[in-house]
């Protein structure tokens, strides 16, 4: 069975640009969560979506947005990129509030 | 506001030793607690999940305990191996939010 997949693996953007990151959950999982992990820190919770509705939001600015599609895949969008947005972006899927399964992440570098 | 603390931040031990990693959290009203392993530059691998009603979980050489009332969890690794070298993270969940600690960087010396 395929695990959580994320694309792209790596991405380099310039300050002020927009970025879209994609995540496909494990088959049958209806919940997708997004995290930002800065080097040397634990992951910080950004969003959780369940059944295409936002169910949780972390302390991130409105430049960050996300959505979940009917097939339960998800996109994370970040507008007006800042240098501080450089991080590993992780996606996790789960059965509602059950065990979280993480993807390999997308490494975003903002220059 | 839920805060998760992991002690120590880093740990080096000789191969074969048993070791304990600690995790504490400030709000005991959690749904579950999960321990993860992360290799450098990689995603997270789930090791053990403990529901709030449970006291411990075991998987192979790993044992995790949960004392919700005191806001503490431990991850016990028996007979450590060089392949156990990684960062270990604990995370607590409640109300659709998952809060992570900063992790313990573990280095097993051959």
């Amino acid at each position: 069975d395929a695990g959580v997949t994320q694309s792209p693996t790596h991405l380099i953007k310039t300050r002020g640009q927009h970025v879209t990151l994609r995540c496909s959950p494990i088959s049958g999982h209806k919940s997708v969560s997004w995290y930002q992990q800065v080097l040397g820190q634990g992951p910080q919770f950004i969003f959780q979506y369940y059944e295409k509705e936002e169910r949780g939001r972390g302390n991130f600015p409105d430049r960050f947005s996300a959505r979940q599609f009917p097939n339960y895949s998800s996109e994370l969008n970040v507008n007006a990129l800042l240098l501080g947005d450089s991080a590993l972006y992780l996606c996790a899927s789960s059965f509602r509030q059950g065990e979280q399964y993480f993807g390999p992440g997308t490494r975003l570098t903002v220059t | 506001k839920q805060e998760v603390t992991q002690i120590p931040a880093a740990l080096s031990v000789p191969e074969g030793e048993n070791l304990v990693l600690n995790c504490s959290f400030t709000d005991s009203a959690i749904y579950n607690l999960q321990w993860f392993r992360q290799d450098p530059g990689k995603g997270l691998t789930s090791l053990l999940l403990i529901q709030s009603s449970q006291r411990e979980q075991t998987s192979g050489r790993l044992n995790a305990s949960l004392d919700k009332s005191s806001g503490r969890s431990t991850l016990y690794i028996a007979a450590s191996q060089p392949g156990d070298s990684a960062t270990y993270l604990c995370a607590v969940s409640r109300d659709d939010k998952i809060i992570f600690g900063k992790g313990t960087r573990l280095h097993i010396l051959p």
Side-chain angles (χ1 to χ4, degrees), chain A residues 37 48 96-97 99-100, chain B residues 32 34 38 46 96 102:
Chain A
Q37 187 177 26
Q48 184 184 64
R96 194 59 171 93
Q97 290 180 307
E99 188 169 3
Q100 300 261 316
Chain B
N32 62 46
Q34 199 165 353
Q38 186 174 33
S46 176
D96 297 310
K102 293 183 178 181

Side-chain angles (χ1 to χ4, degrees), chain A residues 53-68:
Chain A
E53 291 188 2
E54 181 183 306
R55 292 301 182 97
R57 186 183 183 108
N59 188 24
F60 279 81
D62 291 343
R63 298 184 297 107
F64 288 77
S65 64
R67 56 180 176 168
Q68 188 176 31

Side-chain angles (χ1 to χ4, degrees), chain A residues 19-77:
Chain A
V19 68
T20 297
L21 310 181
R22 296 178 174 82
C23 171
S24 292
I26 291 172
S27 177
H29 286 190
K30 298 180 179 180
S31 178
V32 170
S33 300
W34 286 96
Y35 300 82
Q36 180 196 65
Q37 187 177 26
V38 175
L39 193 63
Q41 302 292 316
Q44 296 291 312
F45 173 70
I46 309 176
F47 288 109
Q48 184 184 64
Y49 276 77
Y50 178 74
E51 287 278 19
K52 302 181 288 295
E53 291 188 2
E54 181 183 306
R55 292 301 182 97
R57 186 183 183 108
N59 188 24
F60 279 81
D62 291 343
R63 298 184 297 107
F64 288 77
S65 64
R67 56 180 176 168
Q68 188 176 31
F69 299 99
N71 66 354
Y72 303 112
S73 67
S74 178
E75 285 183 353
L76 175 69
N77 296 284

Side-chain angles (χ1 to χ4, degrees), chain A residues 9 14 54 56 83 85 94 106 109:
Chain A
T9 305
T14 304
E54 181 183 306
L83 294 178
D85 295 330
S94 67
T106 294
T109 302

